[in-house]
Amino acid sequence: MAATLHAPNFDLEATLNSGQAFHWEPQADGSFAGCIADRLVALRQRRDEVLVTPTEGLETARCYLRLDENHDAVLRSFPAEDSVLAAAVAYCPGLRILRQPLWECLATFLTSSMKQVAHIRQMSLRLRRELGEPLRLGDIKAGAFPSPAAMASAGEQRLRELGLGYRAVFVHRAAARLASGEARLEDGEALDDAELLEFLLRFDGVGEKIANCVRLFAFGRLSAFPVDVWIERVLRERYFGGDEVPRKELTSFLVHHFGDYGGYAQQYLFHHARTSKGKSRSRP
DNA sequence: GTCCAGGAGAGGC
DNA sequence: GCCTCTCATGGA
């Protein structure tokens, strides 16, 4: 029934619930059910293994969970003298960056602006339920993430009704551009990191933050470093003594300090800040 | 009831 | 270039 993935130093629950993907649903048996592209799978962690149901989903899951990478090399790349990052890694060393489908990632993060993780999740599940291809796995039902064509033909008004608010226009425009063939996200694969950033910024509603989320979580550009309100707070408080930091100075610091796997560092810092008890939420 | 969120774009200066 | 304002919604 289930196939097994070797997954040392891996934390399935943290990875699926760390604000990268928003649709994994916990099951009574401790597994998580959700779609990877158009395949509905159930994933369950057992010590150093991840059990994948059905077995045909094995390679899909391996790729999605990035279990084909050398994670130790990522951890070794981090600046040794950085105690803030070290604490975040120690808090949840098994956290991984996912390798998500391109459109799903772009569309989901277009809905993310000025939204809390819980609400992005609600929108994602609703879009899947209302507009996605219905899938079944035993008793489990779920919807695939709706295609650009499905989103385009649903129309902006329908997307608004599904709770997207002012974000509906951006999602709809992107869906229409992709459905018509005017733009192809796969073309981004061949671009270098800087070119890919420019490519993504051409979508209306995509700024530097969302572009970096898509570069990191979908295109696997592991140096991409999304700066949201959480990360900005962590950086200001823990790396800049609480002072306001000009955006340009911040960007320069990120590139030089965190290095080739800055995106991973960012995810550890984000997850730690957002979920740990000692989370910093000081405000003026 | 109030606060705030994995932002971006437009307009004013 | 850097502010400030607006957009929309519901979980915490």
Side-chain angles (χ1 to χ4, degrees), chain A residues 140-161:
Chain A
I140 305 169
K141 292 183 194 170
F145 194 82
S147 66
M151 300 272 249
S153 67
E156 182 194 330
Q157 188 53 38
R158 176 79 173 123
L159 296 178
R160 276 186 173 265
E161 289 164 8

mmCIF file of all heavy atoms in Angstrom, chain A residues 140-161:
data_model
loop_
_atom_site.group_PDB
_atom_site.id
_atom_site.type_symbol
_atom_site.label_atom_id
_atom_site.label_comp_id
_atom_site.label_asym_id
_atom_site.label_seq_id
_atom_site.Cartn_x
_atom_site.Cartn_y
_atom_site.Cartn_z
ATOM 1 N N ILE A 140 -10.622 9.674 1.466
ATOM 2 C CA ILE A 140 -10.183 11.067 1.467
ATOM 3 C C ILE A 140 -10.535 11.744 0.144
ATOM 4 O O ILE A 140 -10.274 11.222 -0.928
ATOM 5 C CB ILE A 140 -8.658 11.152 1.681
ATOM 6 C CG1 ILE A 140 -8.259 10.418 2.968
ATOM 7 C CG2 ILE A 140 -8.203 12.598 1.723
ATOM 8 C CD1 ILE A 140 -6.768 10.231 3.121
ATOM 9 N N LYS A 141 -11.136 12.925 0.260
ATOM 10 C CA LYS A 141 -11.439 13.708 -0.946
ATOM 11 C C LYS A 141 -10.681 15.021 -0.878
ATOM 12 O O LYS A 141 -10.554 15.625 0.195
ATOM 13 C CB LYS A 141 -12.937 14.018 -1.023
ATOM 14 C CG LYS A 141 -13.820 12.821 -1.264
ATOM 15 C CD LYS A 141 -15.268 13.304 -1.387
ATOM 16 C CE LYS A 141 -16.246 12.152 -1.285
ATOM 17 N NZ LYS A 141 -17.634 12.629 -1.167
ATOM 18 N N ALA A 142 -10.196 15.454 -2.025
ATOM 19 C CA ALA A 142 -9.518 16.752 -2.079
ATOM 20 C C ALA A 142 -9.575 17.264 -3.501
ATOM 21 O O ALA A 142 -9.829 16.498 -4.441
ATOM 22 C CB ALA A 142 -8.068 16.622 -1.616
ATOM 23 N N GLY A 143 -9.350 18.554 -3.653
ATOM 24 C CA GLY A 143 -9.324 19.133 -4.990
ATOM 25 C C GLY A 143 -7.904 19.493 -5.361
ATOM 26 O O GLY A 143 -7.135 19.976 -4.531
ATOM 27 N N ALA A 144 -7.560 19.245 -6.624
ATOM 28 C CA ALA A 144 -6.269 19.726 -7.127
ATOM 29 C C ALA A 144 -6.316 21.248 -7.188
ATOM 30 O O ALA A 144 -7.403 21.833 -7.228
ATOM 31 C CB ALA A 144 -6.000 19.146 -8.513
ATOM 32 N N PHE A 145 -5.149 21.886 -7.208
ATOM 33 C CA PHE A 145 -5.165 23.335 -7.349
ATOM 34 C C PHE A 145 -5.679 23.665 -8.748
ATOM 35 O O PHE A 145 -5.224 23.078 -9.731
ATOM 36 C CB PHE A 145 -3.780 23.937 -7.141
ATOM 37 C CG PHE A 145 -3.839 25.432 -6.944
ATOM 38 C CD1 PHE A 145 -4.137 25.961 -5.695
ATOM 39 C CD2 PHE A 145 -3.635 26.301 -8.008
ATOM 40 C CE1 PHE A 145 -4.228 27.330 -5.508
ATOM 41 C CE2 PHE A 145 -3.734 27.676 -7.820
ATOM 42 C CZ PHE A 145 -4.030 28.196 -6.577
ATOM 43 N N PRO A 146 -6.651 24.587 -8.859
ATOM 44 C CA PRO A 146 -7.254 24.862 -10.167
ATOM 45 C C PRO A 146 -6.235 25.382 -11.187
ATOM 46 O O PRO A 146 -5.351 26.163 -10.849
ATOM 47 C CB PRO A 146 -8.325 25.913 -9.862
ATOM 48 C CG PRO A 146 -8.116 26.345 -8.461
ATOM 49 C CD PRO A 146 -7.313 25.316 -7.766
ATOM 50 N N SER A 147 -6.391 24.937 -12.415
ATOM 51 C CA SER A 147 -5.488 25.331 -13.488
ATOM 52 C C SER A 147 -5.690 26.802 -13.827
ATOM 53 O O SER A 147 -6.710 27.394 -13.482
ATOM 54 C CB SER A 147 -5.791 24.502 -14.728
ATOM 55 O OG SER A 147 -7.091 24.837 -15.198
ATOM 56 N N PRO A 148 -4.714 27.396 -14.540
ATOM 57 C CA PRO A 148 -4.904 28.769 -15.012
ATOM 58 C C PRO A 148 -6.194 28.914 -15.825
ATOM 59 O O PRO A 148 -6.923 29.895 -15.663
ATOM 60 C CB PRO A 148 -3.670 29.005 -15.887
ATOM 61 C CG PRO A 148 -2.624 28.138 -15.283
ATOM 62 C CD PRO A 148 -3.363 26.906 -14.818
ATOM 63 N N ALA A 149 -6.480 27.913 -16.658
ATOM 64 C CA ALA A 149 -7.699 27.995 -17.473
ATOM 65 C C ALA A 149 -8.949 28.023 -16.601
ATOM 66 O O ALA A 149 -9.882 28.795 -16.853
ATOM 67 C CB ALA A 149 -7.752 26.809 -18.441
ATOM 68 N N ALA A 150 -8.959 27.193 -15.570
ATOM 69 C CA ALA A 150 -10.121 27.149 -14.673
ATOM 70 C C ALA A 150 -10.291 28.468 -13.929
ATOM 71 O O ALA A 150 -11.411 28.965 -13.760
ATOM 72 C CB ALA A 150 -9.963 25.999 -13.683
ATOM 73 N N MET A 151 -9.166 29.050 -13.510
ATOM 74 C CA MET A 151 -9.223 30.327 -12.779
ATOM 75 C C MET A 151 -9.620 31.451 -13.711
ATOM 76 O O MET A 151 -10.394 32.339 -13.349
ATOM 77 C CB MET A 151 -7.856 30.641 -12.174
ATOM 78 C CG MET A 151 -7.356 29.605 -11.211
ATOM 79 S SD MET A 151 -7.899 29.904 -9.536
ATOM 80 C CE MET A 151 -6.367 30.341 -8.772
ATOM 81 N N ALA A 152 -9.108 31.413 -14.939
ATOM 82 C CA ALA A 152 -9.415 32.471 -15.907
ATOM 83 C C ALA A 152 -10.897 32.445 -16.260
ATOM 84 O O ALA A 152 -11.551 33.491 -16.310
ATOM 85 C CB ALA A 152 -8.555 32.307 -17.159
ATOM 86 N N SER A 153 -11.437 31.245 -16.492
ATOM 87 C CA SER A 153 -12.832 31.183 -16.905
ATOM 88 C C SER A 153 -13.782 31.405 -15.734
ATOM 89 O O SER A 153 -14.930 31.803 -15.930
ATOM 90 C CB SER A 153 -13.129 29.849 -17.598
ATOM 91 O OG SER A 153 -13.029 28.797 -16.676
ATOM 92 N N ALA A 154 -13.312 31.174 -14.518
ATOM 93 C CA ALA A 154 -14.159 31.465 -13.358
ATOM 94 C C ALA A 154 -14.462 32.956 -13.281
ATOM 95 O O ALA A 154 -15.571 33.356 -12.910
ATOM 96 C CB ALA A 154 -13.468 30.995 -12.077
ATOM 97 N N GLY A 155 -13.492 33.774 -13.654
ATOM 98 C CA GLY A 155 -13.698 35.218 -13.668
ATOM 99 C C GLY A 155 -13.312 35.885 -12.362
ATOM 100 O O GLY A 155 -13.320 35.264 -11.303
ATOM 101 N N GLU A 156 -12.976 37.171 -12.475
ATOM 102 C CA GLU A 156 -12.523 37.932 -11.301
ATOM 103 C C GLU A 156 -13.591 37.981 -10.211
ATOM 104 O O GLU A 156 -13.292 37.830 -9.023
ATOM 105 C CB GLU A 156 -12.138 39.350 -11.732
ATOM 106 C CG GLU A 156 -11.609 40.184 -10.583
ATOM 107 C CD GLU A 156 -11.558 41.666 -10.948
ATOM 108 O OE1 GLU A 156 -11.366 41.989 -12.129
ATOM 109 O OE2 GLU A 156 -11.714 42.489 -10.019
ATOM 110 N N GLN A 157 -14.833 38.186 -10.621
ATOM 111 C CA GLN A 157 -15.910 38.325 -9.641
ATOM 112 C C GLN A 157 -16.078 37.049 -8.811
ATOM 113 O O GLN A 157 -16.235 37.097 -7.597
ATOM 114 C CB GLN A 157 -17.220 38.672 -10.361
ATOM 115 C CG GLN A 157 -18.355 39.035 -9.409
ATOM 116 C CD GLN A 157 -17.961 40.146 -8.425
ATOM 117 O OE1 GLN A 157 -17.258 41.083 -8.783
ATOM 118 N NE2 GLN A 157 -18.388 40.007 -7.172
ATOM 119 N N ARG A 158 -16.002 35.925 -9.496
ATOM 120 C CA ARG A 158 -16.118 34.631 -8.795
ATOM 121 C C ARG A 158 -14.966 34.460 -7.805
ATOM 122 O O ARG A 158 -15.159 33.971 -6.694
ATOM 123 C CB ARG A 158 -16.106 33.497 -9.833
ATOM 124 C CG ARG A 158 -16.122 32.103 -9.253
ATOM 125 C CD ARG A 158 -17.513 31.675 -8.815
ATOM 126 N NE ARG A 158 -17.532 30.281 -8.427
ATOM 127 C CZ ARG A 158 -17.929 29.850 -7.223
ATOM 128 N NH1 ARG A 158 -18.340 30.706 -6.316
ATOM 129 N NH2 ARG A 158 -17.924 28.562 -6.956
ATOM 130 N N LEU A 159 -13.772 34.855 -8.212
ATOM 131 C CA LEU A 159 -12.621 34.752 -7.320
ATOM 132 C C LEU A 159 -12.798 35.669 -6.101
ATOM 133 O O LEU A 159 -12.413 35.319 -4.988
ATOM 134 C CB LEU A 159 -11.332 35.094 -8.074
ATOM 135 C CG LEU A 159 -10.960 34.138 -9.211
ATOM 136 C CD1 LEU A 159 -9.689 34.607 -9.915
ATOM 137 C CD2 LEU A 159 -10.790 32.717 -8.698
ATOM 138 N N ARG A 160 -13.391 36.829 -6.326
ATOM 139 C CA ARG A 160 -13.701 37.714 -5.201
ATOM 140 C C ARG A 160 -14.663 37.035 -4.239
ATOM 141 O O ARG A 160 -14.493 37.083 -3.017
ATOM 142 C CB ARG A 160 -14.335 39.009 -5.696
ATOM 143 C CG ARG A 160 -13.325 40.051 -6.122
ATOM 144 C CD ARG A 160 -13.991 41.371 -6.478
ATOM 145 N NE ARG A 160 -12.973 42.374 -6.712
ATOM 146 C CZ ARG A 160 -12.547 43.227 -5.787
ATOM 147 N NH1 ARG A 160 -13.079 43.226 -4.583
ATOM 148 N NH2 ARG A 160 -11.591 44.091 -6.069
ATOM 149 N N GLU A 161 -15.666 36.397 -4.804
ATOM 150 C CA GLU A 161 -16.667 35.722 -3.968
ATOM 151 C C GLU A 161 -16.049 34.577 -3.169
ATOM 152 O O GLU A 161 -16.553 34.208 -2.112
ATOM 153 C CB GLU A 161 -17.810 35.177 -4.843
ATOM 154 C CG GLU A 161 -18.702 36.268 -5.417
ATOM 155 C CD GLU A 161 -19.566 35.761 -6.562
ATOM 156 O OE1 GLU A 161 -19.580 34.539 -6.804
ATOM 157 O OE2 GLU A 161 -20.218 36.603 -7.211
#
